[in-house]
Amino acid sequence: DGELAPRSLLQYQSAWKHVAARWADVPCAQVRQLQVQQWIDTMGRSQAISATHLLSAILDHAVRYEVVEHNPMREKYLMPSKQTIQRADTGVWTLDELGDAWARVRGEWFEPAFLLAAFGSCRVGESLGPLASEVELRDVDGVPVALVSIARQMGNDGKVTENLKTRGSKRVVCVPGKAALRLADIASSMPKEWYLTNDGIGNPQPQHRLVRSWRDMGMEHPFRNLRNSWQTWMRWEAKVPPFFIEPMMGHVGQGVTGRHYDKPTADLFAEVMADAYGASPWDENWDV
């Protein structure tokens, strides 16, 4: 209802996923101290602190309206050690696994962002930035290739910025094959000034909504890992040399050549992708 600052709301939503996973179906009167401690032991310290704070607030509400007489969260619990570290998920998808993931998200509001991340190397915020007018479909030696301009990105707060991560991040990404045709089809179905990934009436969407929607579908790895997956399959499955992959991802070389002289064009990127796809059309058997 607008009573919370956006950042506070995000913090509550993040804590709620941990509360809901264990307690959503448990009556307030059946919350037991031992069960609470066992639940706390499954989390890192910061997660445990925020999740127990939220659960306590919920049970305070139950006490206030005499649903229960006592809030068990008011007892003293042992929090995880400060040294507890939650390891980030670094898993990646193979090309065929990405094809399966695409079949799952086909028709979802964030499908364009998925295609740009999984088959175009985009970071999370970058995948939400392009407009419909910034998708160009080309035929490159018989291969359909979508050229998509990456000129802005979306923040967690839903604000648009043209300040990308690095100087090289402002680029054109090239997506071949069935994904190219799908991106062009989606772009042609809406007014050119609309964001390619939008709320149904053309408006841009924040990163947190994309990440939450992806997680709610039960995907194996976080959305951000799609970019790592792109780098991996491009090198090991599509056999594209690293010196092409790095600039296509928006990385700027560290040497003098990389910083000042190496300026590959979108046309060259398109040719590289068309050659790789033409040598082995990886999506031929995908049910998308």
Side-chain angles (χ1 to χ4, degrees), residues 4 28 32 58 68 88 90 145 157 161 166 196 229 241 255 281 287:
L4 281 177
C28 293
R32 300 288 182 261
I58 293 169
V68 294
T90 58
V145 179
D157 54 4
T161 176
T166 68
L196 191 61
S229 300
D287 185 19

Side-chain angles (χ1 to χ4, degrees), residues 1 43 256:
D1 295 329
M43 294 180 280
V256 173

Side-chain angles (χ1 to χ4, degrees), residues 7 19 29 74 88 126 153 170 212 287:
R7 185 172 182 82
V19 175
R74 294 298 179 185
E126 292 174 352
Q153 65 177 341
K170 187 168 287 190
R212 185 169 66 247
D287 185 19

Side-chain angles (χ1 to χ4, degrees), residues 84-284:
T84 300
I85 299 176
Q86 185 181 22
R87 299 294 179 184
D89 184 332
T90 58
V92 296
W93 290 269
T94 65
L95 260 173
D96 284 340
E97 288 171 342
L98 288 172
D100 292 338
W102 182 11
R104 292 179 62 185
V105 305
R106 175 92 180 199
E108 296 288 341
W109 69 269
F110 56 87
E111 183 188 0
F114 166 80
L115 295 175
L116 289 172
F119 306 113
S121 83
C122 288
R123 300 176 177 90
V124 180
E126 292 174 352
S127 72
L128 295 164
L131 305 176
S133 62
E134 294 171 327
V135 178
E136 177 190 353
L137 183 64
R138 291 187 189 176
D139 182 298
V140 182
D141 297 327
V143 175
V145 179
L147 280 67
V148 185
S149 176
I150 305 301
R152 68 193 69 80
Q153 65 177 341
M154 306 303 302
N156 244 336
D157 54 4
K159 293 182 179 179
V160 184
T161 176
E162 294 186 0
N163 294 322
L164 303 183
K165 186 171 183 179
T166 68
R167 289 184 295 109
S169 297
K170 187 168 287 190
R171 64 199 188 282
V172 172
V173 298
C174 300
V175 179
K178 290 182 178 179
L181 297 174
R182 178 60 175 161
L183 282 170
D185 183 55
I186 293 172
S188 66
S189 70
M190 63 183 69
K192 292 184 179 298
E193 68 273 13
W194 280 25
Y195 280 83
L196 191 61
T197 302
N198 60 70
D199 61 355
I201 54 174
N203 298 315
Q205 293 299 284
Q207 286 190 35
H208 70 82
R209 187 186 175 208
L210 170 60
V211 170
R212 185 169 66 247
S213 296
W214 179 261
R215 184 180 62 235
D216 289 348
M217 293 193 72
M219 291 301 188
E220 184 178 4
H221 306 298
F223 189 91
R224 66 176 180 271
N225 290 27
L226 290 171
R227 177 172 159 88
N228 301 341
S229 300
W230 182 91
Q231 182 182 44
T232 301
W233 70 255
M234 278 284 286
R235 181 171 182 178
W236 299 107
E237 297 191 57
K239 308 300 183 184
V240 175
F243 61 80
F244 280 125
I245 293 174
E246 293 303 309
M248 292 171 81
M249 296 185 75
H251 294 163
V252 177
Q254 297 303 307
V256 173
T257 300
R259 291 199 306 271
H260 300 292
Y261 300 108
D262 189 12
K263 307 294 183 183
T265 66
D267 290 339
L268 177 58
F269 288 163
E271 290 174 9
V272 170
M273 292 303 294
D275 287 346
Y277 180 87
S280 179
W282 47 76
D283 57 13
E284 281 186 323

Side-chain angles (χ1 to χ4, degrees), residues 16 19 22-36 54-75 77:
W16 170 245
V19 175
R22 174 61 181 85
W23 303 104
D25 297 327
V26 179
C28 293
Q30 294 181 18
V31 177
R32 300 288 182 261
Q33 288 176 237
L34 177 59
Q35 295 172 338
V36 171
L54 180 57
L55 181 57
S56 180
I58 293 169
L59 291 173
D60 275 345
H61 192 76
V63 172
R64 186 177 306 115
Y65 290 95
E66 299 183 354
V67 176
V68 294
E69 294 183 356
H70 170 68
N71 180 355
M73 298 306 299
R74 294 298 179 185
E75 303 299 330
Y77 292 97

